[in-house]
Amino acid sequence: MGRGGGYGGGGGGGVAASLAALLCCGCVTLALAAAAAQGPRLPSAYKTLSGDAPRVVAKGGFSGVFPDSSSAAYLFALMESAPDTTLWCDVQLTKDGVGVCLRDINMQNGTSVAQQYPARKRTYVIDGVRKTGWFALDFTMAELQPVFLTQAIYSRPDHFDFAEYRILSVADLQSLPSIVKQPSVWLNVQHDIFYKEHGLNMRNYILSIQKNVSVDYISSPELGFLQNISGRVRRKTKLVFSFLDKALLDNSINQTYGSLLSNLTFVKSIASGIMVPKIYIWPVTKDNYLKAHTSIVAEAHSAGLEIYASDFANDRVIPYNYSYDPLAEYLNFISDGGFSVDGVLSEHPITASEAIGCFANLNSSKTDHGEPLIISHNGASGDYPDCTDLAYHSAINDGADVIDCPVQVTSDGTLMCMSSINLLDTTNVQRTPFSSRASVVSEIQATPGVFTFNLTWDDINSSIQPKISSPLSKYYIVRNPRYTNQGKFLKLSDFLAMGMDKDLSGVMIIIENAAFLAKSLGIDIIDSVNAALSAAGYDNQTAKGVLIQSKDSAVLVKLKQQKTKCKLVYTLPSGIGDVSTSSLEAVKKFADAVVVDKDNSVFTSSLAFIIRQNNLMKDLQSAGLAVYAQVFRNEFLSQPYDFFADATVEINYYFQSFNLSGIITDFPKTVTRYKKNTCTGLGNDMPNYMQTVPVGSLDQLLQNSKGQPPSMPPMPTLNASNVEETPLPPVAPRNEPGGSPWGAETPGAPPSDTHKATASTGILFVMAFAALLI
């Protein structure tokens, strides 16, 4: 069964009814005008067999959020996808011959049947394989009424398991709420031979329902079944042969799928199309990178067959070439690969709809550097190690308007770009002899670290490798493994030269730990950065802007007092939901703009469901402050459930809901592509799948359900006392008491015996843990 438990009796379909009610009251993206307000269709540039746009097929409805084949999943797919989206139903037969929609012939995972009928477990041989569980053919339709659908994918939220979705018959697909037009239906018949062996006739059932259900597609991996119904179904109904693993046997005609793949002319004599797993088209290597695409799309079209690709879902680890961006994967099947499939089978049909309707024919014009600015976060750190030459060049090539440099200092006073002052975070230093320099510096962190000021620039540049950041590695989601330790570190001077030379609107310099550097190392980081900017020529031009960002208000106050020409950007504390008038007044005295934490400040969330939007953004912009939001990432676990594991849905919300000045991202390419989409300028004709999703609506649907996330109190308010800091200390003379973190010791020298003794246990733990992460 799916995760969770405690299924109750009662009315069932409650969330589906709530979904329809929310539609009517406008709480969810309105589908009432979906057919009328989709915008004019431009002449097709698709290389499909017909020349029409590829079809979006919603597998079990919007099964990436709701339990597969539930009424809410089907209704949500119609609401949030292209208006001609087709609903996919995997047909199973009950004991009394009723066709029901169930994702798998074994009901154990995906329904509450095991709890409802614990004694009715059975074992069958299906396609030569023994399977034990619960099967629809052992129950009448009446007996299945108390059984509810549940989430079958363990990595997905199980909150809707408690919503009591009843199992739907095929006929129920035609009786979804009349708010939306009658849907297009695709029936998939997977096990005709098995049902026939047990006295049930799938052929007769499919032919009988044509009187009451308008079926557009019928698919099966049993070519013999399609042959039996060919010529007996309605003329408009298309028959599609589904390919399984090439080595498997289609028992209905006693041929392997591999052999049938080389005989598409024969398939065409029975079916009008084929469906293949996406790896048939874009195979992958063992380490999950794309190989060259095959010729199967061209071969199918040459044989006169439509071709559909399956296995699309946003919350899977897709090939690393796509940078965890599911929309990019769709584009490779409908335009970027130089060909187009005729449809895609998706568990997140909103993403397929976006790809087909808004991103397949992008405006390829040059980046305009208009707001909101695309600002890199440690370069294109989603694809390459932080702050390396590879990350910065990739960010520029991907369309970033501004590249960023968090400035750190080495023991010999060299300014460099490094995302963390602690080399354990972003390099392989723990695997080098320099790991012995680890110590605890309480002004920076409570745990041991090897800091940039422990080593010279030559030490770092010649002996240490970068390490790609993977913020979600604890979930086994890692970034671009082939480039884990690739790239070179950059001095600030080299970074500034790159910013001056490339097509950018400017650079962002990030300053942290200024008080520590002044007091303990004898370095005035502000004056050092100013000198570097001047030496690079930024003082004598106006084409390239300079933003200086810091979470330390004292840094920005000092720059303001120096009458800097740079734009000053204050990083707001994370976890605040509102700002007081006094704090706004305080910030405006020293900053032109603010950076907000999108994950912990813009919304109040509970268990990754958005509960409500906070007042923070509105109040900041009402005060006249420019607002930058960070950090945008592609990985599906980095977005709340309300954005459907789709970075583009999240970006779209921020672009349309807030007057942002900039988006700070690990993946500049994703934001650049969004800015070039063809739909957001359509006004009233904007398709529903590109309108902003109503955040908090999923939580509303779960209200009064056992699966509802806990309510959350209002988040803290930022006050002036949180903003105002003491001025920076005077710069201590270097190599004198107070001039380094170890008294008279030279910065970068090994720590004293006292520090070694204090930190030794923690250092050993950190070294071991860091090695495990690598």
Side-chain angles (χ1 to χ4, degrees):
M1 71 168 191
R3 298 172 300 167
Y7 309 99
V15 171
S18 300
L19 201 56
L22 285 170
L23 265 173
C24 293
C25 70
C27 295
V28 180
T29 303
L30 288 176
L32 285 166
Q38 295 306 312
R41 277 219 182 263
L42 300 176
S44 176
Y46 293 107
K47 297 180 180 179
T48 56
L49 184 64
S50 66
D52 294 333
R55 180 165 291 274
V56 178
V57 186
K59 186 184 182 302
F62 210 125
S63 53
V65 174
F66 299 95
D68 192 299
S69 304
S70 65
S71 54
Y74 285 128
L75 183 57
F76 205 72
L78 295 174
M79 289 161 41
E80 293 294 340
S81 310
D84 54 356
T85 293
T86 297
L87 303 182
W88 169 284
C89 165
D90 284 294
V91 184
Q92 313 298 339
L93 289 179
T94 65
K95 182 187 294 187
D96 49 347
V98 177
V100 293
C101 298
L102 289 169
R103 69 183 303 274
D104 194 281
I105 193 169
N106 189 342
M107 300 167 60
Q108 180 171 1
N109 184 31
T111 77
S112 65
V113 67
Q115 292 160 296
Q116 192 68 36
Y117 298 106
R120 296 180 68 172
K121 181 186 287 190
R122 299 287 186 271
T123 298
Y124 290 105
V125 176
I126 304 173
D127 295 330
V129 178
R130 288 177 61 86
K131 293 187 178 182
T132 299
W134 286 258
F135 302 86
L137 83 169
D138 293 320
F139 301 87
T140 66
M141 188 64 189
E143 289 175 318
L144 290 180
Q145 287 305 295
V147 177
F148 302 118
L149 296 164
T150 62
Q151 181 55 258
I153 308 298
Y154 291 118
S155 59
R156 291 174 179 167
D158 63 354
H159 299 74
F160 289 102
D161 288 6
F162 304 96
E164 302 183 352
Y165 303 115
R166 298 202 184 279
I167 294 172
L168 299 180
S169 70
V170 172
D172 290 332
L173 294 179
Q174 300 286 285
S175 58
L176 290 170
S178 58
I179 295 169
V180 292
K181 68 176 185 177
Q182 190 176 51
S184 169
V185 173
W186 185 313
L187 302 182
N188 183 55
V189 177
Q190 193 85 1
H191 300 288
D192 173 57
I193 294 174
F194 169 77
Y195 284 112
K196 192 179 298 181
E197 290 171 347
H198 294 276
L200 293 169
N201 195 313
M202 185 68 78
R203 170 185 173 277
N204 289 349
Y205 172 75
I206 293 294
L207 295 179
S208 70
I209 63 168
Q210 292 186 101
K211 301 173 183 177
N212 302 314
V213 180
S214 178
V215 180
D216 297 283
Y217 298 86
I218 298 173
S219 61
S220 178
E222 298 177 1
L223 194 58
F225 170 73
L226 297 178
Q227 194 168 28
N228 284 338
I229 65 172
S230 178
R232 295 175 176 86
V233 295
R234 292 177 179 175
R235 179 173 296 181
K236 76 160 199 165
T237 303
K238 295 182 178 181
L239 302 184
V240 179
F241 179 52
S242 297
F243 280 82
L244 303 181
D245 186 278
K246 295 176 184 179
L248 294 177
L249 190 71
D250 176 358
N251 292 301
S252 69
I253 59 170
N254 202 33
Q255 291 190 46
T256 65
Y257 292 100
S259 66
L260 288 167
L261 192 65
S262 61
N263 195 3
L264 293 181
T265 302
F266 171 59
V267 174
K268 174 62 173 127
S269 68
I270 299 169
S272 62
I274 61 173
M275 175 169 283
V276 298
K278 61 188 181 182
I279 60 170
Y280 267 50
I281 301 171
W282 283 100
V284 298
T285 62
K286 291 182 179 180
D287 58 346
N288 201 32
Y289 286 86
L290 291 176
K291 297 180 181 179
H293 66 77
T294 67
S295 59
I296 185 173
V297 176
E299 291 169 3
H301 286 170
S302 179
L305 288 163
E306 292 182 326
I307 180 168
Y308 301 84
S310 64
D311 298 339
F312 289 92
N314 292 1
D315 51 357
R316 293 178 184 167
V317 178
I318 57 179
Y320 295 118
N321 310 70
Y322 299 125
S323 303
Y324 287 98
D325 182 356
L327 201 154
E329 181 177 35
Y330 286 106
L331 292 176
N332 226 17
F333 284 81
I334 63 174
S335 62
D336 292 354
F339 54 82
S340 179
V341 296
D342 298 275
V344 291
L345 179 62
S346 172
E347 297 176 32
H348 293 83
I350 188 173
T351 308
S353 299
E354 294 168 341
I356 294 166
C358 303
F359 290 91
N361 298 296
L362 293 182
N363 180 352
S364 59
S365 61
K366 196 175 183 180
T367 303
D368 60 9
H369 297 315
E371 288 192 349
L373 297 172
I374 302 171
I375 304 172
S376 72
H377 181 246
N378 306 319
S381 55
D383 291 312
Y384 300 101
D386 293 6
C387 302
T388 57
D389 58 339
L390 292 177
Y392 286 126
H393 284 299
S394 178
I396 294 166
N397 293 335
D398 290 344
D401 303 304
V402 175
I403 55 174
D404 68 308
C405 171
V407 178
Q408 312 297 346
V409 183
T410 64
S411 65
D412 54 348
T414 301
L415 302 187
M416 65 174 296
C417 300
M418 182 75 75
S419 60
S420 174
I421 195 171
N422 182 3
L423 295 170
L424 288 173
D425 294 336
T426 55
T427 76
N428 72 337
V429 69
Q430 73 273 12
R431 292 187 168 185
T432 73
F434 296 118
S435 62
S436 64
R437 306 234 181 145
S439 65
V440 174
V441 179
S442 58
E443 296 95 328
I444 296 175
Q445 60 185 51
T447 55
V450 180
F451 302 99
T452 58
F453 52 79
N454 294 139
L455 281 70
T456 66
W457 164 252
D458 187 61
D459 291 335
I460 295 172
N461 190 47
S462 62
S463 303
I464 295 177
Q465 292 179 309
K467 180 178 69 177
I468 201 166
S469 61
S470 293
L472 296 167
S473 59
K474 67 180 179 180
Y475 301 106
Y476 304 101
I477 296 177
V478 298
R479 292 174 169 176
N480 203 3
R482 288 184 180 177
Y483 288 84
T484 296
N485 300 115
Q486 300 299 307
K488 296 180 179 180
F489 301 117
L490 292 183
K491 296 180 181 179
L492 175 60
S493 57
D494 296 328
F495 169 85
L496 293 174
M498 181 188 299
M500 187 68 78
D501 180 58
K502 301 297 182 180
D503 179 21
L504 295 165
S505 63
V507 295
M508 176 179 275
I509 307 299
I510 302 165
I511 297 177
E512 308 294 353
N513 303 304
F516 168 80
L517 295 174
K519 180 181 177 181
S520 300
L521 296 183
I523 294 174
D524 189 324
I525 188 64
I526 294 174
D527 285 352
S528 299
V529 166
N530 283 334
L533 287 167
S534 179
Y538 282 81
D539 289 351
N540 303 318
Q541 54 83 49
T542 58
K544 307 286 186 180
V546 178
L547 296 83
I548 297 184
Q549 176 190 348
S550 183
K551 65 182 180 182
D552 302 324
S553 63
V555 169
L556 303 180
V557 168
K558 181 173 180 178
L559 285 162
K560 191 80 170 181
Q561 292 170 347
Q562 293 176 344
K563 302 187 184 304
T564 181
K565 295 180 181 178
C566 302
K567 187 171 185 177
L568 303 180
V569 184
Y570 179 53
T571 306
L572 293 177
S574 181
I576 60 168
D578 205 348
V579 286
S580 67
T581 301
S582 62
S583 67
L584 286 172
E585 292 173 350
V587 170
K588 290 180 69 174
K589 290 179 181 177
F590 58 80
D592 309 296
V594 293
V595 171
V596 299
D597 180 349
K598 77 168 182 67
D599 295 321
N600 297 300
S601 292
V602 178
F603 304 109
T604 297
S605 300
S606 180
L607 301 180
F609 286 91
I610 294 176
I611 307 300
R612 57 184 169 271
Q613 182 174 303
N614 300 322
N615 293 324
L616 177 66
M617 302 290 274
K618 179 188 68 166
D619 291 344
L620 290 169
Q621 292 175 328
S622 296
L625 286 164
V627 177
Y628 303 91
Q630 71 172 17
V631 174
F632 286 80
R633 298 185 170 105
N634 287 354
E635 292 96 336
F636 57 87
L637 285 175
S638 69
Q639 300 109 26
Y641 293 131
D642 298 64
F643 296 128
F644 314 131
D646 183 347
T648 298
V649 172
E650 181 179 43
I651 292 166
N652 185 52
Y653 184 88
Y654 276 82
F655 265 73
Q656 294 195 49
S657 300
F658 308 116
N659 184 27
L660 289 177
S661 294
I663 279 187
I664 301 172
T665 175
D666 288 357
F667 298 90
K669 182 187 294 184
T670 304
V671 188
T672 299
R673 187 192 58 217
Y674 173 83
K675 290 181 75 171
K676 295 180 179 181
N677 83 82
T678 58
C679 289
T680 52
L682 293 176
N684 292 334
D685 288 332
M686 184 188 298
N688 58 305
Y689 49 82
M690 282 298 287
Q691 296 174 26
T692 57
V693 298
V695 295
S697 61
L698 295 182
D699 176 64
Q700 290 180 47
L701 293 174
L702 286 168
Q703 287 187 14
N704 303 317
S705 162
K706 293 179 182 178
Q708 184 180 10
S711 60
M712 302 295 290
M715 296 178 72
T717 297
L718 184 72
N719 294 307
S721 58
N722 306 124
V723 173
E724 296 166 348
E725 300 175 0
T726 57
L728 294 175
V731 178
R734 298 190 69 179
N735 300 326
E736 292 186 11
S740 80
W742 307 290
E745 297 170 6
T746 303
S752 65
D753 289 341
T754 302
H755 278 83
K756 286 181 179 178
T758 304
S760 59
T761 302
I763 292 170
L764 288 172
F765 173 78
V766 170
M767 297 299 111
F769 183 68
L772 285 173
L773 286 179
I774 291 296

